[in-house]
Amino acid sequence: MRVCGLVLAAGAGTRFGGPKGLARDADGEPWVARAVRMLRAGGCDEVLVAVGAAGDAVAALVPSEASVVRVPEWRAGVSATLRAGSAAASERSADVVVVTPVDTPDAPADAVTRVLAVLGDDPAAGLAQAVYRGRPGHPVAIGRAHLAALGAAVSGDRGARPYLASHDVIEVECGDLWSGEDVDARA
C-alpha cells in the first residue's frame, strides 16, 4: 500500500488573523513541519503540503522531506485545496491519501496509524475518519477509488464530510489520543 499524506495549508485563515500555514508553536516550530512529521511517523510514504494564501512564505516552511502543491484557486475554499492535493497524490500513484489540516498541530501520529489500520484488504477502496468522542475530525484516509468522485462532490468552503457520510466512512475513535480540536484563534 502506497500512502500519501496531504496537509491542507492553503487558506487565508480569516478567523485566525492570517494564513495558518505560517503559524508556529510556542517553541517556534512551524505547524506545517509538525503536520509533515506527524503524517510520516503515522505511516505515510510521502507528504504533500497544499499552499495558496501567502504561498511562497508557507512553502518556505515546508520541510525538505515533503513536496509543495500550489493551489492557484485557493480563494474558492477547501474544495479547491482538496482537489489540487488529491490530483497531485493520484499523479504519484498513491493507493490512499491521508488528509489533515495544518491547524491541528497537536494531532498525534497514532491517529494516522489507527485510521490506516482499518482500511482492510483493499485500502484503495477504503474511507476512514478519526472521530473524537463521536465527533468527526482528522486525519481522514481516502482510498484512490474515491478521489475523483470526492473531487467532483466538494464545492466552495465545504470539506469532504458530506461525501464521507454518504459513502459509509469507517469512523475510528481517537478521543483517547487527543481532543481533535483545530485551532481557530491565536493563543
Side-chain angles (χ1 to χ4, degrees), residues 156-182:
D157 209 23
R158 293 198 64 202
R161 184 67 191 144
Y163 180 89
L164 297 173
S166 67
H167 288 81
D168 299 321
V169 65
I170 299 168
E171 295 184 341
V172 182
E173 183 57 55
C174 294
D176 61 312
L177 299 174
W178 74 297
S179 70
E181 295 292 325
D182 61 348

Side-chain angles (χ1 to χ4, degrees), residues 41-126:
C44 296
D45 300 302
E46 67 179 313
V47 177
L48 307 174
V49 180
V51 304
D56 290 340
V58 175
L61 299 176
V62 174
S64 61
E65 66 266 21
S67 300
V68 172
V69 174
R70 303 277 177 175
V71 184
E73 297 85 27
W74 63 268
R75 286 178 185 84
V78 72
S79 62
T81 307
L82 278 170
R83 276 193 295 277
S86 295
S90 291
E91 290 170 7
R92 288 164 168 79
S93 301
D95 295 309
V96 177
V97 178
V98 178
V99 179
T100 194
V102 72
D103 65 357
T104 57
D106 296 325
D110 287 345
V112 176
T113 304
R114 281 188 190 177
V115 168
L116 288 173
V118 302
L119 293 179
D121 293 337
D122 188 10

Side-chain angles (χ1 to χ4, degrees), residues 15-17 20 103 182-186:
R15 291 179 307 229
F16 189 70
K20 293 178 183 180
D103 65 357
D182 61 348
V183 180
D184 279 334
R186 294 185 191 271

